[in-house]
Amino acid sequence: MRNFVYKPISIAPLIVFRVLFGFIMFVSVVRFMLNGWVDSQYLMPRFFFSYYGFEWIEPPGEPGIYVLFIIMAIAALFVMAGAFYKISASVFFLIFTYVELIDKTNYLNHYYFVSLVSLVMIFLPAHRHFSLDVLRKPSLHVSKIPYWCILIIQLQLALVYFYAGVAKLNYDWLIEALPLRIWLPPNAHIPVVGFLFEKVWVAYFFSWFGAVYDLSIPFFLFYKRTRSYAYIAVIAFHIFTWLLFPIGMFPFIMILATSIFFSPDFHQGLIKKLSVALQRMGIYRAGTPPEYAAPAASKWIMGFFGLFLMVQVMLPWRFALYPGKLFWTEQGYRFSWRVMLMEKAGYVIFHVKDPETGREWEAYAHDYLTPVQEKQMSTQPDMILQYAQFLEQQYIKQGIKDPEIRAEAYVTLNGRGSRLLIDPEVDLTKEQDGFRHKKWILSYWN
């Protein structure tokens, strides 16, 4: 195993990955700003749903949040160019992760993926070829690196696909073809093939194909003889899902990222063509690197990557520690590569009581939340708890001592009839957030 992970391999796949990753991150950050999402997600809300343990993270306000996004875009460009790489990769990781931790309303699997990859990139020698750092300091230049520097990214991508497939192995997805039976018919207006989306068998076909695709594609990408066909499938799959569903940059991130499975010769060819073009423009000069120079990989770094992979393998299984239906309770749902698996909707009314006067009234989410926050909160128990306790603080500020707040939350899952999500008799101001099972979540089967 040691010989396998430490065998010298061309640095080219890692270099192409660095350029593509920096490029798609720059495009994503600029797109985010141009679409006005900085305003709608980080300036308009009056309340932010924090992650447990990260309650201390707060938005910097305006203009701070815009400064952060501009620095993040510049850092992505520097990563792409390999300029002051270690610093720019660290800055990008810290700012991107900080921004994502501000409000879990905005949690997306590919944001989590970007944070993980940008963290890994900090420790990889992705600036030691075809970079501005090498132009500035030629002694950095190497042509080969240990295979583990590329393998760590390939394994992370494989875990994303594999666990996305494992998550599809459930009754609703395979036996009921849900939620695709709900999501596909609205696309019947698409020219030529649209009529197919109203056919029930198409929903079943896509459900089963999606599960088989996610479970098998990592192995086909690793295997040389099937790699090209697998990559064509990756492009077709992600473009198709992008056309059907509003999933942002995720398809393009995965299409570009999975190119790291191609052979070093393929990537060397890409770098050579780009080098020639840049040399003709007079903005790059190629040097002659030494045959092999292993980057410094201390026991601490190797230990970090070992722990990193172990956490990534185990974390998606934590849902098994909680009782109840995962899609209903959502305990252990995030950070587990469960991508577009359910159709969930609901509404919540908060019943408030002043114990001193006995006065009772109702509070609504739209009093303080944006429509997107209200939609996300209405079906997620931990967010309902947070909002109830936020309301408690607001009423205390208004002079109401120890208000009681209960939630009447009706939720529908995969098109089935709505039912109560939260025990309406429980005073949520007395409950604690955390990793323990939330006993006040009602069973789906009640």
Side-chain angles (χ1 to χ4, degrees):
M1 177 60 75
R2 181 178 176 83
N3 290 338
F4 176 72
V5 299
Y6 280 96
K7 69 179 179 182
I9 187 173
S10 168
I11 195 174
L14 182 60
I15 300 305
V16 172
F17 183 85
R18 184 204 79 214
V19 172
L20 294 177
F21 183 74
F23 168 74
I24 198 69
M25 289 303 102
F26 173 75
V27 171
S28 299
V29 172
V30 172
R31 172 178 175 266
F32 199 93
M33 289 191 288
L34 293 179
N35 280 329
W37 294 335
V38 175
D39 270 35
S40 63
Q41 295 187 17
Y42 298 106
L43 293 176
M44 288 176 59
R46 302 169 63 186
F47 170 71
F48 295 93
F49 291 94
S50 59
Y51 289 90
Y52 180 67
F54 292 91
E55 295 84 358
W56 50 275
I57 290 184
E58 295 182 353
E62 189 180 14
I65 190 71
Y66 276 104
V67 171
L68 285 180
F69 269 82
I70 291 170
I71 294 174
M72 188 159 44
I74 295 171
L77 276 181
F78 274 42
V79 168
M80 182 179 73
F84 303 100
Y85 173 75
K86 293 291 184 181
I87 296 174
S88 55
S90 301
V91 167
F92 182 85
F93 162 72
L94 290 172
I95 296 180
F96 187 92
T97 304
Y98 164 78
V99 168
E100 294 316 311
L101 287 174
I102 289 175
D103 191 348
K104 62 184 169 189
T105 301
N106 307 316
Y107 172 82
L108 290 173
N109 283 287
H110 72 272
Y111 289 165
Y112 175 44
F113 173 77
V114 168
S115 279
L116 293 177
V117 170
S118 58
L119 172 62
V120 168
M121 291 288 285
I122 294 171
F123 301 99
L124 300 181
H127 62 310
R128 301 194 64 174
H129 182 63
F130 194 61
S131 69
L132 293 181
D133 279 354
V134 167
L135 289 180
R136 180 173 54 84
K137 189 177 181 181
S139 61
L140 288 174
H141 206 176
V142 299
S143 63
K144 293 187 177 181
I145 54 175
Y147 178 45
W148 66 261
C149 297
I150 296 168
L151 180 64
I152 185 70
I153 297 175
Q154 292 174 331
L155 288 176
Q156 179 58 65
L157 283 162
L159 286 170
V160 172
Y161 280 115
F162 184 75
Y163 277 119
V166 171
K168 291 181 173 66
L169 303 181
N170 65 78
Y171 179 86
D172 274 6
W173 188 271
L174 297 177
I175 306 302
E176 297 289 345
L178 290 170
L180 290 182
R181 272 202 291 149
I182 300 171
W183 290 346
L184 289 179
N187 292 288
H189 64 280
I190 293 177
V192 183
V193 297
F195 74 97
L196 290 172
F197 299 136
E198 294 182 310
K199 309 291 184 184
V200 173
W201 67 264
V202 174
Y204 276 94
F205 173 77
F206 283 171
S207 294
W208 281 80
F209 177 81
V212 173
Y213 167 86
D214 283 335
L215 288 169
S216 61
I217 201 69
F219 303 100
F220 289 130
L221 285 169
F222 269 114
Y223 188 47
K224 183 179 179 180
R225 291 187 177 182
T226 57
R227 187 174 299 139
S228 297
Y229 303 107
Y231 193 68
I232 292 172
V234 167
I235 294 174
F237 179 83
H238 285 299
I239 292 297
F240 192 71
T241 54
W242 174 70
L243 290 172
L244 289 180
F245 309 116
I247 48 179
M249 297 297 290
F250 176 70
F252 305 104
I253 292 172
M254 297 306 284
I255 288 172
L256 295 180
T258 47
S259 67
I260 198 172
F261 286 92
F262 278 112
S263 69
D265 289 343
F266 171 82
H267 292 284
Q268 285 170 347
L270 289 179
I271 293 174
K272 185 177 180 180
K273 290 177 181 176
L274 192 53
S275 295
V276 170
L278 293 175
Q279 286 182 66
R280 285 175 179 169
M281 290 187 283
I283 56 177
Y284 182 77
R285 64 178 187 278
T288 303
E291 181 62 20
Y292 178 71
S298 67
K299 291 182 179 179
W300 288 104
I301 291 179
M302 298 309 291
F304 164 76
F305 281 129
L307 179 63
F308 175 87
L309 286 175
M310 186 172 69
V311 170
Q312 289 304 303
V313 169
M314 297 179 63
L315 199 60
W317 298 106
R318 73 188 190 283
F319 76 94
L321 299 175
Y322 298 104
K325 186 178 178 67
L326 170 62
F327 291 178
W328 184 248
T329 68
E330 299 202 32
Q331 295 179 116
Y333 191 88
R334 301 185 190 98
F335 310 111
S336 301
W337 312 120
R338 293 184 167 84
V339 185
M340 297 191 69
L341 288 175
M342 61 180 177
E343 172 66 28
K344 206 172 180 185
Y347 74 91
V348 189
I349 299 173
F350 293 92
H351 297 279
V352 187
K353 180 178 181 180
D354 182 346
E356 284 192 344
T357 64
R359 186 169 72 94
E360 297 184 20
W361 66 96
E362 294 177 350
Y364 298 91
H366 57 71
D367 292 340
Y368 290 97
L369 303 182
T370 65
V372 173
Q373 287 181 309
E374 181 179 1
K375 179 182 178 183
Q376 293 295 323
M377 182 272 293
S378 298
T379 61
Q380 300 182 50
D382 61 337
M383 295 176 73
I384 292 174
L385 176 65
Q386 274 193 32
Y387 187 68
Q389 297 185 346
F390 165 75
L391 286 177
E392 178 192 17
Q393 296 305 312
Q394 301 309 304
Y395 291 125
I396 290 175
K397 290 177 183 175
Q398 296 172 20
I400 300 173
K401 295 180 180 178
D402 199 23
E404 298 175 6
I405 301 178
R406 296 171 175 81
E408 180 184 359
Y410 280 93
V411 173
T412 173
L413 176 61
N414 284 340
R416 300 187 179 93
S418 64
R419 57 195 75 184
L420 278 172
L421 175 65
I422 304 295
D423 186 342
E425 302 300 321
V426 172
D427 178 5
L428 294 177
T429 65
K430 301 296 187 294
E431 300 299 324
Q432 299 291 323
D433 198 2
F435 298 121
R436 289 186 176 182
H437 168 54
K438 297 174 175 59
K439 296 180 180 179
W440 40 269
I441 302 175
L442 294 176
S443 170
Y444 179 75
W445 292 280
N446 276 347

